[in-house]
Each structure stands twice: as structure tokens, then as C-alpha cells.
Amino acid sequence: MSTESTETTERDEEPVMGEQDREREEFLRVARRAGEAAAGLAPLPRAAKDAALHAIADALVAAAPEIVKANEADVARAREAGTSEYMIDRLSLTGARIAGIAEAVRKVAALDDPVGATVRGNVLPNGLELRQIRVPLGVVGIIYEGRPNVTVDAAALCLKSGNVAMLRGSSSAYESNTVLVNVMQAALAGTAVPADAVQLVPGTSRESVKHLMRARGLVDVLIPRGGASLIKSVVEESTVPVIETGVGNCAVYVDADADIGLAVEILINSKMQRPSVCNAAETVLVHAGIADAFLPAALAALREAGVTVHGDERVRAHDGAGEVVAATEDDYRAEYLSLDIAARVVDSLDAAVAHIRAYGSGHTEAIVTTSQAAAKRFVALVDSAAVMVNASTRFTDGEEFGFGAEIGISTQKLHARGPMGLPELTSTKYVVTGEGHLKGRTG
Amino acid sequence: MSTESTETTERDEEPVMGEQDREREEFLRVARRAGEAAAGLAPLPRAAKDAALHAIADALVAAAPEIVKANEADVARAREAGTSEYMIDRLSLTGARIAGIAEAVRKVAALDDPVGATVRGNVLPNGLELRQIRVPLGVVGIIYEGRPNVTVDAAALCLKSGNVAMLRGSSSAYESNTVLVNVMQAALAGTAVPADAVQLVPGTSRESVKHLMRARGLVDVLIPRGGASLIKSVVEESTVPVIETGVGNCAVYVDADADIGLAVEILINSKMQRPSVCNAAETVLVHAGIADAFLPAALAALREAGVTVHGDERVRAHDGAGEVVAATEDDYRAEYLSLDIAARVVDSLDAAVAHIRAYGSGHTEAIVTTSQAAAKRFVALVDSAAVMVNASTRFTDGEEFGFGAEIGISTQKLHARGPMGLPELTSTKYVVTGEGHLKGRTG
């Protein structure tokens, strides 16, 4: 630290460009090139974009040894830093995984191009032809964590929708991401798509993320993908419009009128089918009228699955095995992503809705009921991106919804909500065609 | 100032709640009531909302004397402060104007309800029924300037689309706005719509705007309506998602192949039909190949209309009258809203597009051309909310587009772009209906 201070003093005497200024200059240079590339990419037809995606897929497979080598350096550094095996696994790339990533790029090429589609159109009373058509957003910033496959997935989805991707992955994957982006840019150099259409945000410091977050006018939208704290900091610090994704505190509500066996199955599937993801259930709410019948079966099934239940007093009253932990307010708010679940008995459907409004994250809630009236009321009152009736919360997913791919699951209400496919990566513009139409007269 | 300092010292000794804390407490109380009202308003059917709008219209007419009295106090204060007659006129309410405002509310009641509409829907391969339906955004914050009629217009559009309006008008209209909101709340008290569905942000200080801008989680979206500096400060300081509206530096491009008479008419209509609004033309770009024929006619017509032209060297070469002012970079960027226009000769359509990309605000650009190829290329390359072909820029407007009303014109790409009608005041949610569907199995 003292060395640094001395350096600062020296700089003060003879000013040179500091490290932070250099990083910012470099960022602005990259962002401006991204903007130029966006202008060139936007009007390209589907065939040009698909050809570029296939060139990227081929190049990734061809460069697999080089990519694996860079990745080994990242993995070695992560091991030295004492990273968990789970995180090491997410970080690691093999030849087989790279082949899978390339295959996913080819799958994106096969999807419909959202750009140019007419959203609505008509002829106005004065004879003007009005069309609202889909256009790319422009430059899309993606901030994400460990997994380097996101680098390619996000770039492919952006490219297909006519957008330039500005990628900012975890610093732990910086060498892998650098090689992946270099390979993609080299592949694009031989196509109609500008090579600058895929960009890595330079640098690994916290400052480098801030440059991206403050780049209003250069970056059209930021999509943070990761944990709650990452997303919160992006939302608070960004002047670029943000699409919040992914935090899921999802609830299963078991109504007074429910098939007990079905309710247990949906609860266990929602919790257990993949506990570490955002659409896994983190809370179960049980109508008081069915608690006596449902809770013994549910608690037994959860125990068998290895799930720790954090229950309120009324849930614990049904806990023969004495294994239910007392729930706190924090449990009701928790996105556990683990083998834990909060449980509460509620006196009515409306009380379940009030609990969800107070503690939920607006991702996905499910009702299990045989009552048409209860299903209708739950759907009308629950304000979440997805509401499931007699289905597992795990179905909230771009693939499941038939979108072919997803860039994330939006939990905000502006622009996109729920799984985001290619159309959600577009904006629109109005094209108005006249024959010398003047306002105040009919043309 | 010294009095204030003394007061601060006293407070430091015996802490009491300061004015700012009180204002913030009051804001949070209002915002929470708005959130409660939003939950009650969202599921209401169209008939309930329309009845509430008619109740508001009737109440406004009945309370006209009371409203005019409050408005007179605002106007008197504005006069004392030396406010211009133009601004006084915008601030003033009369019985006739209130009748007009009430009539506009009835017109909103007659529009289609966007809430509940199915945006898309299908049955997935596993038998799940998927529907994406329109839902209200929730709590919509509107920050605006002088005109108190916006208070009622914005409240009506929000209510019709199932949203609670949190209104923050100019402090110069605070007494008028307070009475208008009181009258609307009293009218709602007799309807199915919660009275809290229309809220005025308490206080007139700069701090009170900040409470609204930092109310993420309580307010779902902020729509600033006003000048460039207001919008810029909201964008920079807000943690609530913002929809930018209104700044319009619109260009008319006269192509090499254009009918001179038509081009002059479109230019003059775009500039003169209402110079003070965002869709008025502020720049004219002329292809070099038509400059000799077009500019003498255009400069004469602009001179006759009383417009000051800020031209580049090549425009000034055609200035027989010696009245064209030398254009600066600032002129190319200006949203004049006055009888001024920037003018530049460009060597190609692509050079016109480059000028628009560098200096435009992304609102509306027009091309005048007889060439189908030029029209197609201009539409493809210009990245603005609206692109006009052989029509005045003045047509970018919710009424003109047939939306029946507009809350503003978005110049950003996220969520909504161009004139925003009622559907742009909604979000969506996915409703997924199964019969015990579990992930990993077919139901």
C-alpha cells in the first residue's frame, strides 16, 4: 500500500494517465466500436446472421484445444484460490463441452429471426400507412458469473436478434472468455457480420463493470445474470436501462380443495427436480382447511427427499418427527437454492396471496386446486411473471415455453417479464409512409 | 441561512425529526397506500374502471369553482415570481378548460381496456396451456411540468390501464394539483376503484422528487414528461425503471430524387405547424445533387415563415439574402422548439443517416424522395422511434396513430418506443394451466 502511495505522489508531480483512466479509455474505445458494429449489423438479413453463427460454431470446435488451454489456466487459478469443486465444475471447459456449446449456437441459427417482423400495421383514416416493426435493441451488455458457456450463448442470441453483445463475465473466467471472444471475432471476420459485433469488456476490476453500468448512450440495455447481490448492485448503480433477471423465491400454494397426492407430487417436483435454480420452489403455503390431511404426507415426502423444512407454529404442530425448524421472516424471503423450504399454514387463498405479495420475488407461484373459482382468483390476484395452475414451478423456462432459447428470466415488469426469448431482445420502430402528407390536411 | 444553521445546531442537541425526514416518511406512507391500491385496482373489470372515470369527470365539473380558486392562487404566485405570459397561460385553468379536461377523461373511458388481453397463447407439446396476458404495471410515477391538466390526463390513463398514478407536477401548480387530486380521490370513494389509486407526491421540494426516483420496489416505472434537463436528471438519479420521453431533434432529409414543391411543403409543415413541440423539425438535410434546385425555394419559404436558418457553408452558398447564420455543432444537436432550423448539405443518403446517428435524439426523421430504393434504405438504416416517408414529422403522435390518447412519446428502446398508448402502460404475465404436470414427465 505504501508503494502505491509513493506512486500516486510521483504521478501527481508528473501527471500520466492512471490505470483507471486507461481502463476507462479502453472501455470507451470498445463501446464505440460496438456502436459502429450495431449500425452495420442491424439491417443484415437472416441468412447473413445464420451464416455468421455457423462460422462461429465451426471455429469454436476447431479452436477447442486453444480454448481448453486457456480454461486450464483459469481453473488452476481458481483451485489456488480455494474455489469449491462445484464452482470449478461450472468454470471448466472440455472438448465435449465446447462441442455442446457449438451445437447450441447452431440451434440458435435455426430459430426464427425476430427482426423485421411487423408487430402491427394499418392504414390510417388520412391514408398514411402505419407499420410497427421489430428492430434490434442495439448494444446489449450482459453481466454474468462463472460459467464461460454463457459468453457464447449470450453472444449467439444477441447476434441472431441483430444486437451487439458487450460481455462482462466473472474475472475468474477471464482467460477463457478472452479466447472465446477472440475465436468468435476471428470467425466473424470472414462473414458479413462486423467482427466487432461480439465484445468483451476489457479488464477484470470492479471499475470495469462500472464503466459498463454508466455507459448510457453507448449501451442500450444491461442484463445482469447471477445472484441477488450482483443484480441489486447493477440495478442501483446503472444509468443504462436494466432488465432484472432470475431471483426466484417461488411458492407452491396448496388450496383447501386439492388432491393430496397430486399436491405432494407437484411440491416435491417443484423443490427437488433441480433445487439450485431460480424456478425451484422455496416456500409452501397450505390452506388451514387441508393442513391436517396434507402436512403429514408432505412433511414425510420432504424428509425422505432430504429437505429441511422451516415451518411456522401451525406447520410444526404436524411435525411428528420433530424435524421442522422454526421459520423466521428471513426464511419467508429466502431464495435458498438448497435442500430447504419455508412452510406456512394460511387461513385463506387471499392470505396466501398476501404472503406472496409480502415475501415473493415475483418469479413463479403455483396453486394446486380442484376448484375452478380458486384457480381463477389465484391467477387474477398473484402478480408474478408466471402463475402455474396444477403444474410444477419448474416449467417457467424459455425451452419449456417453446421459445427455443432464453437469455434469462425477467422478474421486472418493464419491457419483458418471464422467460426472455429472441423477440424480447428487440425494440420496435414505426414506419409511416405517405404521399406528401401534411398535418392539418388530408394527403 | 444563519437562522437555518442555528436551527440545525438546536436539532443536533435535542434530535427531533427534521423536515426532510418527515417528508420522506410522508412519501413512504403515500407510496405504500399506492401499492395497496394497485393490488385492489389490478383485477377490476373494465366496467368498474369506466364508471370511476365518469365519476371523476362529473366531480371535476362540479368542483370547477373550487379548482379555479386554487388555480388563481398558483397563478398569482407565478405572476409575482415574474413568470412569462406563455407559462401563465399553460398554468391557468378556467371553467371551460376544466370542462375540456373532464371531456378528455370520458374519452379515455371509451377506449378499449388493454388489461386481460391475451398477447399470445398455445398448448405446449406436453399438454400445458400457455397464455401470456396483459396486466397493469402497478404504480406509475409521472414527473411533469407546469400544466395542471396533465394531472388529470395522466391519472385517467393510468386508472384505465389498471395502474395507480403517483403524480409529481411542478411546484408552481401545487395548489391546483392538490385540489384536482382531492376531487378525484373523493370521486373514487364512491366507486369500486380504491380512492388511493390517484396520489400526489407530497411536498414541493427537490427532495420530494428524489424520494419518488429512489422508490424502487414501491414504484414500478417512472415517466418524466418535460424538457431535456428534467429527463436527464431523472434518468441519472432514478433507481426506479424510467421511460424517457419527448426530446425531439427531428430531421427532414431531402433526397436527390425529390419533388421540390412537395419537399418544401413537408419541410415547412414539419417546422411550422406547431414549432414548440417535440415532433417539429429542427434540422433539414439536403442531398448535394438537389441542393441547387431545392435550397433557393426552401430558404425563401423558411424566410417567409419567419424561420432563422443555421446553415453550413454549402447552405450559405445558396443564401442570396445573406440571412443564413453559420451553423455550429450545437445547432446540429439543438431541440430549438422555436423559429430556428439547422441546415446542412450532405453528399449521400448514407451521410444523412450518419448525421442523424451523430446528432439526432431518435424521435422522428423524415425522407422526401421519389425513389423506392432510397426510401427503403433510409427506413432500414435510420434508428429512430418513427421514420416518415413523404410525410410531415408532425404525424408522430398517439392521436394521429389512432391510439386514442398518449401518455408521452418514448425515445428509448426498452419497453415502449414512440407514442405510448394504453397497451404501453401494461406488463404481461404468463398463466400456465396443467393437470398435475411435473417436469421431466409428460402430464
Side-chain angles (χ1 to χ4, degrees), chain A residues 248 271 275 282 310 330-332 334-342:
Chain A
K271 178 72 236 176
E282 308 288 18
H310 305 256
D330 285 348
D331 285 306
Y332 296 149
E335 187 193 27
Y336 293 116
L337 304 174
S338 62
L339 295 188
D340 293 84
I341 196 164

Side-chain angles (χ1 to χ4, degrees), chain A residues 35-36 39-40 42-43 120 122 124-126 128 130-133 135-139 214 216 220-221 235-236 238-239 241-244 262 265-267 269 273 279 357 378-392 394-397 400-403 412-419 423-424 426-441, chain B residues 35-36 39-40 42-43 120 122 124-126 128 130-133 135-139 214 216 220-221 235-236 238-239 241-244 262 265-267 269 273 279 357 378-392 394-397 400-403 412-419 423-424 426-441:
Chain A
E36 287 297 309
R120 56 181 159 184
N122 59 306
L124 301 177
N126 62 5
L128 276 177
L130 178 70
R131 280 186 305 140
Q132 184 184 21
I133 58 171
V135 297
L137 286 166
V139 178
R214 309 295 293 184
R216 191 171 185 106
D220 293 285
V221 58
V235 160
E236 302 223 322
S238 186
T239 57
V242 174
I243 299 179
E244 272 189 81
L262 201 76
E265 280 197 321
I266 286 176
L267 171 62
N269 187 267
Q273 208 261 344
N279 59 15
R357 190 177 303 140
F378 190 80
V379 164
L381 295 186
V382 168
D383 187 23
S384 295
V387 184
M388 301 284 162
V389 178
N390 296 326
S392 168
R394 289 277 296 122
F395 284 109
T396 303
D397 175 88
E400 291 291 339
F401 281 10
F403 300 168
Q412 72 176 39
K413 293 189 194 166
L414 222 57
H415 184 72
R417 198 176 192 205
E424 282 73 28
T426 66
S427 180
T428 61
K429 73 179 167 195
Y430 287 100
V431 178
V432 185
T433 309
E435 298 140 11
H437 281 66
L438 307 178
K439 181 123 168 192
R441 307 191 209 170
Chain B
E36 287 297 309
R120 55 180 160 185
N122 59 305
L124 300 177
N126 62 5
L128 277 176
L130 178 72
R131 279 186 305 139
Q132 183 183 21
I133 59 171
V135 297
L137 286 165
V139 178
R214 310 295 294 183
R216 191 171 185 105
D220 293 285
V221 57
V235 160
E236 303 223 321
S238 185
T239 56
V242 174
I243 299 179
E244 273 189 81
L262 201 76
E265 278 196 322
I266 287 177
L267 171 62
N269 187 266
Q273 208 261 344
N279 59 15
R357 189 178 304 141
F378 191 80
V379 164
L381 296 186
V382 167
D383 187 24
S384 296
V387 183
M388 302 283 161
V389 178
N390 295 327
S392 169
R394 288 277 296 122
F395 285 109
T396 302
D397 175 89
E400 290 291 339
F401 281 10
F403 301 168
Q412 72 177 38
K413 293 189 193 166
L414 223 57
H415 185 72
R417 198 177 193 204
E424 283 71 29
T426 66
S427 181
T428 61
K429 72 180 168 195
Y430 287 100
V431 178
V432 186
T433 309
E435 297 141 12
H437 281 65
L438 307 179
K439 182 122 169 192
R441 307 191 208 171

Side-chain angles (χ1 to χ4, degrees), chain B residues 91-345:
Chain B
L91 176 61
S92 299
L93 292 175
T94 61
R97 284 188 177 181
I98 292 164
I101 291 168
E103 197 46 44
V105 173
R106 292 196 179 95
K107 219 179 118 197
V108 171
L111 295 175
D112 285 343
D113 185 351
V115 173
T118 299
V119 178
R120 55 180 160 185
N122 59 305
V123 179
L124 300 177
N126 62 5
L128 277 176
E129 286 174 35
L130 178 72
R131 279 186 305 139
Q132 183 183 21
I133 59 171
R134 285 205 185 280
V135 297
L137 286 165
V139 178
V140 177
I142 319 265
I143 301 178
Y144 52 102
E145 292 175 339
R147 296 187 302 150
N149 63 314
V150 174
T151 305
V152 180
D153 282 354
L157 289 170
C158 286
L159 197 159
K160 177 79 191 201
S161 50
N163 296 295
V164 169
M166 286 271 293
L167 302 158
R168 210 308 184 163
S170 164
S171 56
S172 67
Y174 193 69
E175 292 201 35
S176 311
N177 290 340
T178 301
V179 171
L180 287 169
V181 169
N182 286 345
V183 168
M184 288 193 279
Q185 289 182 338
L188 291 180
T191 75
V193 171
D196 286 335
V198 178
Q199 295 284 354
L200 195 66
V201 172
T204 57
S205 70
R206 266 199 63 77
E207 279 304 309
S208 72
V209 192
K210 286 194 183 161
H211 299 323
L212 183 59
M213 294 194 290
R214 310 295 294 183
R216 191 171 185 105
L218 294 169
V219 177
D220 293 285
V221 57
L222 269 188
I223 306 177
R225 290 175 51 158
S229 69
L230 167 74
I231 289 163
K232 187 165 184 288
S233 83
V234 173
V235 160
E236 303 223 321
E237 296 181 39
S238 185
T239 56
V240 175
V242 174
I243 299 179
E244 273 189 81
T245 67
V247 176
N249 173 12
C250 305
V252 174
Y253 165 63
V254 180
D255 189 43
D257 298 314
D259 179 291
I260 302 289
L262 201 76
V264 171
E265 278 196 322
I266 287 177
L267 171 62
I268 295 296
N269 187 266
S270 298
K271 179 71 236 177
M272 293 303 300
Q273 208 261 344
R274 201 170 163 202
S276 64
V277 293
C278 60
N279 59 15
E282 308 287 18
T283 297
V284 56
L285 301 168
V286 184
H287 192 289
I290 203 170
D292 288 345
F294 172 75
L295 277 173
L299 293 177
L302 288 165
R303 185 168 55 240
E304 196 184 320
V307 177
T308 302
V309 177
H310 305 256
D312 72 350
E313 279 310 310
R314 295 159 84 182
V315 170
R316 298 180 82 196
H318 290 89
D319 174 27
E323 288 176 343
V324 175
V325 181
T328 65
E329 290 272 307
D330 285 349
D331 285 307
Y332 296 150
R333 282 200 189 87
E335 187 192 28
Y336 293 115
L337 304 174
S338 61
L339 295 188
D340 293 84
I341 196 163
R344 193 174 189 184
V345 173

